[in-house]
Amino acid sequence: MWLRSGISLFGVFDGHGGSEVAAFCKKYMPDEISRQLRVRLASGTRLSGDCLGEVLTASFHAMDEMLRSPEFERPLLALKQAARAGPKGGDAGVSSSEAGSSSSADLDE
């Protein structure tokens, strides 16, 4: 995944919307953050703490929009079913028996 050299970003998604939401963010957030960063840097914005804050804020808003979008209804349902089935049912990143349903992602690939 594209990020500027020397930048690592780690996230913990608590799943307060359900374990499938934590798994959804684990799957889609890294690409969205990279996309938001590319857009800003291509427009001439300097990489700074403010820039990264804007990228994170925009990415979280994008996750909210994606979760409500009919386009992502099937992937979200698949993640929900995988979470209910547990680790053997698919790689949702979380199990329905886990309190808190946390997932993490590393963008520095």
Side-chain angles (χ1 to χ4, degrees):
M1 182 162 311
W2 182 88
L3 273 181
R4 285 184 71 121
S5 178
I7 297 177
S8 293
L9 181 65
F10 301 88
V12 177
F13 309 108
D14 69 1
H16 65 270
S19 59
E20 68 272 16
V21 173
F24 185 92
C25 290
K26 178 181 179 181
K27 182 174 182 173
Y28 293 103
M29 182 71 95
D31 287 339
E32 184 60 29
I33 290 172
S34 290
R35 187 185 75 76
Q36 293 284 343
L37 184 57
R38 277 195 309 271
V39 166
R40 279 167 179 71
L41 295 177
S43 72
T45 302
R46 283 188 60 237
L47 184 61
S48 66
D50 287 342
C51 172
L52 293 174
E54 291 170 7
V55 164
L56 288 174
T57 299
S59 297
F60 278 105
H61 287 294
M63 289 299 102
D64 284 340
E65 290 173 20
M66 291 167 68
L67 285 163
R68 289 190 296 265
S69 169
E71 177 184 350
F72 290 95
E73 191 173 309
R74 281 190 176 154
L76 186 59
L77 180 58
L79 291 168
K80 185 174 189 171
Q81 291 169 341
R84 283 186 179 158
K88 292 181 182 176
D91 183 19
V94 292
S95 166
S96 60
S97 64
E98 295 173 340
S101 302
S102 297
S103 291
S104 62
D106 176 6
L107 298 180
D108 191 23
E109 295 181 354

